[in-house]
């Protein structure tokens, strides 16, 4: 089992685009992930960063660190996005492994907090994320916002 940072292993770029699109994109926004991942390899900024989780050559999960997850709280960053674990691998703490890697890289980049937005209640709390309020999406609707304080960790 290994976590692949696409910036560090750019040969995974096309696989990352295809996999993340298959889990998160619709036909209307396929280009969004392709464009974001491609340009993340060319920036001097520490964000965005995309990750794959691989097991014996098979991609079984993904996640990203981004500046904003289409949420009104643009005063907060960085954000966890696109966290996904294949269903037949769930229940093995693999989401936790990805979150720990994202926390480590976020802290290493000099950030004190890591944020995410979700409608899930009970999952992220297990991994030291605390609910801090609601945020609003450009398409309408809202999501719960969570923060992990990285100074305590």
């Amino acid at each position: 089992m290994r976590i692949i940072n696409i910036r560090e292993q750019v040969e995974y770029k096309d696989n990352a685009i295809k996999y993340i699109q298959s889990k998160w994109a619709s036909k209307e926004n396929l280009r969004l992930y392709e464009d974001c991942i491609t340009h993340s390899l060319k920036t001097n900024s520490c964000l965005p960063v995309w990750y794959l989780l691989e097991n014996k050559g098979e991609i079984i999960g993904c996640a990203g660190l981004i500046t904003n997850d289409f949420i009104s709280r643009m005063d907060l960053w960085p954000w966890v996005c696109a966290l996904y674990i294949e269903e037949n691998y769930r229940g093995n703490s693999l989401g936790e492994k990805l979150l720990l890697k994202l926390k480590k890289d976020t802290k290493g980049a000099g950030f004190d907090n890591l944020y995410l937005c979700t409608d899930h209640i009970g999952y992220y709390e297990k991994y030291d994320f605390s609910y801090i309020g609601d945020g609003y999406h450009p398409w309408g609707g809202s999501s719960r916002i969570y923060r992990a304080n990285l100074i305590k960790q």
Side-chain angles (χ1 to χ4, degrees):
M1 198 76 56
R2 70 183 182 131
I3 297 173
I4 300 164
N5 178 325
I6 304 307
R7 281 192 177 187
E8 295 171 357
Q9 295 183 268
V10 296
E11 67 272 17
Y12 282 88
K13 177 191 85 155
D14 292 337
N15 288 342
I17 292 168
K18 184 178 176 182
Y19 184 81
I20 293 168
Q21 284 176 329
S22 76
K23 302 307 172 192
W24 293 105
S26 66
K27 66 179 181 175
E28 293 83 18
N29 68 7
L30 278 173
R31 297 286 311 258
L32 175 98
Y33 293 101
E34 178 182 359
D35 197 49
C36 184
I37 293 167
T38 298
H39 285 91
S40 75
L41 303 177
K42 300 174 185 177
T43 184
N44 291 327
S45 173
C46 63
L47 298 170
V49 184
W50 296 90
Y51 302 83
L52 295 174
L53 181 61
E54 183 183 67
N55 183 41
K56 299 176 185 172
E58 176 188 6
I59 298 171
I60 61 166
C62 61
L65 283 174
I66 59 176
T67 57
N68 186 274
D69 200 9
F70 305 107
I71 195 91
S72 58
R73 291 300 305 273
M74 294 185 189
D75 58 312
L76 307 174
W77 70 85
W79 294 80
V80 173
C81 75
L83 179 65
Y84 185 85
I85 301 295
E86 291 292 337
E87 286 188 34
N88 55 328
Y89 285 90
R90 292 179 187 170
N92 296 301
S93 300
L94 299 178
E96 178 183 23
K97 289 184 188 309
L98 278 169
L99 289 170
L100 287 171
K101 173 65 171 160
L102 271 61
K103 286 179 179 182
K104 178 182 176 195
D105 288 359
T106 299
K107 189 172 185 177
F111 294 98
D112 295 336
N113 295 292
L114 179 58
Y115 301 90
L116 61 85
C117 59
T118 185
D119 295 326
H120 295 290
I121 298 172
Y123 179 76
Y124 294 100
E125 292 89 339
K126 294 186 289 189
Y127 306 114
D128 297 321
F129 282 86
S130 300
Y131 171 72
I132 62 168
D134 291 338
Y136 304 93
H137 299 290
W139 55 84
S142 64
S143 290
R144 296 170 62 86
I145 296 174
Y146 289 83
R147 174 181 56 220
N149 182 316
L150 305 177
I151 295 172
K152 297 178 185 177
Q153 300 178 9

